[in-house]
Amino acid sequence: MIVNLLQNFCIFKQLPHRTIIIMIIGLDIGTSSTKAVAFDLEGQVLATHSISYPILNPLEGYYEQDPEVIYRACIDSVARVMTELQDHDKMLQPMGISVSSAMHGLIAVDKSGKPLTNCIIWADRRSEEIAIGLKATEKGRLLYQQTGTPIHPMSLLCKLIWIRFP
């Protein structure tokens, strides 16, 4: 979807009376907002846009976000950056897009990729008992030794176990 969006804003044939703007787009999908920024090849910021969204707290210790809201924020923020850069005398040519995201988020999806749950974000503590129990076992200690990843409620493993056995 984002690649199609970028292509809609690009004219790849050169026109003599137009300035070509070659750029790189960054997209940061954060806990509180999604931010898009376009840079030229010298690193100068050409345009930015940010869209905020809420953290849902349906129960004590539960922290979620609506994946459709985040998806729309991604598409809309990139579209807004591209729209801000449109100029009749300039030709936009994105060279690439880089995406970063908050860690430890989990969305259960169906076979077609449609979300079945909200995104369970890093701050969620619903799998705390699972993390404590796993950490106290030999398997938990071995898992930590082999991966170097601490076992805690943020861990996707603990969240997956919670989804499977709530």
Side-chain angles (χ1 to χ4, degrees):
M1 180 70 177
I2 290 178
V3 171
N4 290 339
L5 176 71
L6 293 176
Q7 288 172 345
N8 289 338
F9 284 97
C10 297
I11 301 171
F12 289 102
K13 63 180 183 174
Q14 298 218 1
L15 301 174
H17 63 283
R18 288 188 156 189
T19 302
I20 299 171
I21 298 177
I22 299 174
M23 66 183 133
I24 298 171
I25 297 184
L27 185 64
D28 176 27
I29 306 167
T31 302
S32 60
S33 67
T34 289
K35 296 149 289 272
V37 60
F39 297 94
D40 66 17
L41 296 183
E42 284 76 46
Q44 185 176 25
V45 174
L46 302 173
T48 64
H49 191 70
S50 178
I51 298 175
S52 297
Y53 34 75
I55 295 174
L56 309 173
N57 184 226
L59 296 170
E60 181 66 33
Y62 285 41
Y63 296 95
E64 307 174 349
Q65 291 178 311
D66 183 335
E68 296 298 332
V69 168
I70 295 171
Y71 175 75
R72 281 283 12 128
C74 293
I75 298 303
D76 293 348
S77 60
V78 170
R80 182 66 181 267
V81 163
M82 296 300 291
T83 301
E84 285 179 28
L85 291 173
Q86 279 189 321
D87 184 323
H88 296 292
D89 295 330
K90 295 180 181 144
M91 186 168 63
L92 305 177
Q93 190 168 349
M95 188 173 158
I97 186 164
S98 177
V99 179
S100 70
S101 176
M103 290 177 46
H104 303 295
L106 177 68
I107 304 168
V109 297
D110 67 14
K111 290 178 186 178
S112 67
K114 181 181 175 200
L116 297 171
T117 65
N118 279 335
C119 178
I120 301 171
I121 67 170
W122 62 269
D124 193 272
R125 309 231 17 112
R126 71 185 79 183
S127 67
E128 191 163 25
E129 288 180 23
I130 292 165
I132 291 168
L134 181 57
K135 200 176 196 179
T137 67
E138 184 58 35
K139 283 184 180 180
R141 284 186 286 281
L142 184 59
L143 182 64
Y144 175 68
Q145 287 174 343
Q146 291 178 342
T147 66
T149 303
I151 297 171
H152 50 72
M154 279 190 237
S155 157
L156 294 178
L157 174 62
C158 294
K159 290 175 183 176
L160 284 168
I161 293 170
W162 183 89
I163 285 175
R164 181 84 167 108
F165 307 104

